[in-house]
Structures are given as C-alpha cells and as structure tokens.
Amino acid sequence: MTTAAHGTDDGTNDGAGDGAGPAATAPRDAPAPNASPRDASAPGAPAPSVPGQEAPALEVRGLVRHFAARRGGTVVRAVDGVSLTVGRGEVVGLVGESGSGKSTVGRCVVRLDTPTAGTVRIGGTDVTRLSRRRLRPLRKDFNIVFQDPSASLDPRMRVSRIVGEPLALHGTARGTALRDRVEELLAQVGLPPGTAERRPHELSGGQRQRVAVARALAVDPMLLVADEPTSALDVSVQASVLNLLARLQRDRGFGCLFITHDLAAVEFLADRIAVMYLGEIVEVAPAAELFAAPKHPYTQALLSAVPVPDPPVQRARERIVLQGDLAGPVFPKAVGASQTVDHCRFHTRCPLAYERCRTEAPEHRMLPGPGPEPVPEPEPGPDPGPGPGGTGRGRMVACHLVADDGTAPDAAAPAVAPRP
C-alpha cells in the first residue's frame, strides 16, 4: 500500500504542497470547562521534563476546543482531550474521517485558533495563552501548510514577496541576501527559474503548493503542520508533493504533524500514526505496526477501505462497512462544562459494541509492542511542565475490547468476536 512517486505533470522537478487556506469563520467560543478533560493524563501525554534532554518539537496535552452552537444550550466538542507528541525530526500522521477534529487540532497547535483548555508546547515553550505580540517572535519556530494553495496565497503578490515575507518579518535576510534566499528556496522545492516574478494565478496547482511549502519552510521552523496538503491535487502531483515533503523533512530534520485522510500517503510519510474519531484520539502506534495489526475497530474499518494494489489479495479482503448513525459531537452545555462522557463515542457504529461500550467511556491504555518502551506518564494532577525529548513510541488504544496484552477482536467477524 506504500505510495511511490517519481515525477510531476506540472513542469517541475520534485513537487511540494501546502494546502487549503483558512477555514470558514468558527462559531462563538464555548465557555471554558470547569474541569480538566478525562484523558489529560492519558498515555500519550507529555511526561515531566528530564534534565539534559531536548524538548520535542511539539507537545500537546489535554487539548480541548469547544464551540457554542448556533442554537442555544448546546456545545460542539470539536476536540476533546487530545494529547500527542511530535519529536524533532519525526513525522506523526493524524488521520480520521472528515469532521473528526483533525484540522482543528492543527489550527490550535499553530495558534490560528485558541484552545478552550489544555496546553500546546513548541520546543518546550508553552504557546497556549500567549498574546499576539509575545507569540510573533516565536512563529519562526512553527508554520502550517493549508489544503488549498489558491486560498492561502495572496493573488496580488508576486511569488518573490510571498516567499520572502517571513524572512523580512523576522529580520532573517534583507536586500540581495533576501532575493538570493528566495531563489534558493524556490529551487529547493523544484520550481524553475523565473517563478519568483510570477503571481499565483500564473502557476499550476502543484506549483502553487510548492510556493506555499517554500514559504512555510523559509525561516527553518522546528515544526511543520501539514493540513491535508495533497487533497486538492491530482494523483500524479500528489505523489511528487509527498516525495518533496519526505526529502525536505529528511534534509532539514523538522518535526511534522501530517494531517490527512489519505492512509496510503500517511503510510508512506509518517513514523507514527494517531487515529482520531469525533474529537479524541482512539489509537496511536508506529506506522508499520498500525498497518500490520490495527487494534481499535474504527482503525480496522479505516484500513479495510484502502484498496491493495494486488487483485488476488484485494478480492480476498473483506470490507468492514460501518452501520448505524454517527454520534455527533454536540452535547448540552452542562455536559460540555463537566468534561465527562459516559460512553464510547464509536459505539453507535461499532459492529462489536456491547453494553459496557454504551455506559462507560474507555480508558487510554498503553499496550506492549516490539518498539522501545514508552516514556513513563505523569500521575494525574496539575500540569507537570514540558516533557522529555523522546517520542514515546509505545502503542496506545482506547477500547474496552482490546486486552491489556494487545489482543484485539476482528471487527470483520463480529459474530465470533470475544467479549472481555
């Protein structure tokens, strides 16, 4: 299922991507919750700092983003207690269906949206509540690539100004040095000479994506959030964009949170994968382990929908078709404030659900695996501060049906699946 990429169809050498512009205006903020989210101290949350260890590129702990719905009395829990870590030089894929909250996590990480609760640390620095003035000098450490380059690039600017603007704002280069740096960046993303004097409407979709990537990496950030950078591109251009991102990430060593619903793309690019469903992370694992043996029924259903490029194998596979209604992320304000959910959010569609799934929310548990031991998690309580530089490569799952030894039932055979 690995994606391979070799060329492009837009006249460039390698490919790059940066996707969709800012999302539509968000609803009114919901009132801040009165208590910490249920999984704020769950596995996958940062542990206390360890002297001598470099802080990860990104630490997210107990991230919550609620919106007040247009109709009074309800709250949309778009993100509800997400905790994850992206090590320096590591690519972490964040996958899930549309509406699961992936892009909201990305926007909160780069402070395009303000979290309702939780903490976000970039390189060990807490940026969650910083003012715009205090945040501005830190923005050179992180950047985002949106879905749609047509919306994220100013049509009135030439490419030279688009790419050079971060360098000028942060005082990294000026004059001749700025022009030379812009030309160097455009060459690194595979754009031909002369591109600097064009405007976005004079470029193809793939070329606009490359411009956006060059802009995002202009000041050498330690963290790049790629929010579905290939979703607006043709298949052949998608491959070249993935190759470019992989090469730049390998050469520059930045951490990357790669948000996508394309599982083949995330298998090609990511070191670890976090699976998100209705505002919370339900499974985290190294990419190879997750594709070889998914544990959560939702992860199994997602992977069963990805075609295998081998006709005999594909014909022998059984697709897991989810039935039932999607349990939306809308709750009464009282529930939103208390931060408690008394059921598994997937139970309305899970083919293996039983009574406990409908009455008790599953805990986030670490599972044994062949990789290094996960970083010990902090005891529940006040935020302990920055975490260690490790990437915590253990497996995490939130499901009543998965045993502590990692044994998981087959969602494709619900009639024979054992119950705990």
Side-chain angles (χ1 to χ4, degrees):
M1 195 157 25
T2 302
T3 301
H6 303 287
T8 108
D9 61 357
D10 60 1
T12 53
N13 298 326
D14 195 5
D18 142 54
T25 304
R28 302 183 306 276
D29 290 355
N34 299 325
S36 299
R38 171 176 54 81
D39 57 351
S41 60
S49 58
V50 177
Q53 287 193 348
E54 193 174 37
L58 171 66
E59 294 172 291
V60 177
R61 181 182 173 120
L63 183 67
V64 175
R65 185 63 177 106
H66 293 174
F67 300 101
R70 294 185 183 276
R71 297 179 180 178
T74 57
V75 169
V76 178
R77 300 171 68 155
V79 177
D80 211 23
V82 166
S83 297
L84 58 86
T85 302
V86 179
R88 301 195 184 210
E90 182 186 31
V91 179
V92 174
L94 186 60
V95 302
E97 296 171 297
S98 296
S100 60
K102 307 184 302 296
S103 292
T104 303
V105 170
R107 292 175 63 85
C108 288
V109 163
V110 297
R111 283 296 311 276
L112 293 179
D113 203 352
T114 301
T116 304
T119 58
V120 176
R121 290 187 174 90
I122 308 291
T125 302
D126 190 344
V127 301
T128 315
R129 304 295 171 188
L130 293 182
S131 65
R132 294 180 63 181
R133 181 180 61 82
R134 295 182 61 192
L135 190 62
R136 183 170 180 176
L138 299 177
R139 285 201 174 275
K140 66 180 182 297
D141 294 331
F142 56 94
N143 217 325
I144 186 170
V145 172
F146 295 103
Q147 285 183 4
D148 182 8
S150 300
S152 66
L153 302 179
D154 191 331
R156 299 169 297 179
M157 290 185 178
R158 296 187 186 276
V159 170
S160 58
R161 185 178 173 189
I162 291 172
V163 177
E165 190 172 37
L167 298 168
L169 288 174
H170 291 287
T172 305
R174 300 187 184 279
T176 303
L178 177 61
R179 290 192 295 272
D180 292 345
R181 178 59 176 157
V182 168
E183 291 292 344
E184 180 186 358
L185 286 165
L186 295 178
Q188 288 178 359
V189 297
L191 288 170
T195 304
E197 298 308 312
R198 297 183 181 181
R199 289 185 170 86
H201 73 271
E202 300 177 281
L203 306 176
S204 69
Q207 288 174 327
R208 286 194 291 266
Q209 293 284 48
R210 293 174 174 78
V211 171
V213 168
R215 177 182 62 182
L217 299 179
V219 289
D220 292 320
M222 76 173 71
L223 174 70
L224 178 68
V225 176
D227 186 7
E228 304 207 36
T230 61
S231 63
L233 302 177
D234 294 335
V235 174
S236 58
V237 182
Q238 288 179 9
S240 66
V241 168
L242 291 174
N243 271 346
L244 177 67
L245 287 175
R247 176 174 60 80
L248 291 174
Q249 193 276 331
R250 182 177 62 249
D251 294 344
R252 293 181 175 227
F254 55 82
C256 180
L257 179 62
F258 186 70
I259 300 170
T260 185
H261 60 265
D262 186 343
L263 293 175
V266 80
E267 181 187 21
F268 170 73
L269 196 62
D271 300 306
R272 287 189 298 136
I273 299 174
V275 181
M276 198 166 177
Y277 184 78
L278 284 185
E280 70 172 353
I281 291 178
V282 297
E283 185 168 3
V284 181
E289 292 182 32
L290 185 124
F291 277 89
K295 304 296 184 183
H296 198 282
Y298 177 64
T299 309
Q300 296 180 33
L302 283 180
L303 296 184
S304 76
V306 181
V308 175
D310 186 333
V313 174
Q314 177 62 26
R315 284 193 295 269
R317 298 175 74 216
E318 184 174 355
R319 170 76 185 275
I320 303 174
V321 180
L322 298 178
Q323 306 291 335
D325 296 327
L326 183 69
V330 179
F331 293 83
K333 283 186 177 179
V335 175
S338 66
Q339 291 292 295
T340 59
V341 175
D342 59 1
H343 58 263
C344 172
R345 299 171 196 234
F346 187 54
H347 81 273
T348 58
R349 303 171 71 197
C350 180
L352 305 175
Y354 68 116
E355 188 59 30
R356 185 183 180 191
C357 304
R358 302 179 184 92
T359 59
E360 180 184 339
E363 295 181 354
H364 292 71
R365 294 175 290 126
M366 298 303 301
L367 301 178
E373 288 297 316
V375 175
E377 299 303 326
E379 293 297 324
D383 192 343
T391 54
R393 292 179 179 270
R395 292 198 73 156
M396 185 280 290
V397 68
C399 181
H400 295 308
L401 296 157
V402 180
D404 291 338
D405 62 0
T407 304
D410 184 359
V416 298
R419 297 290 188 268

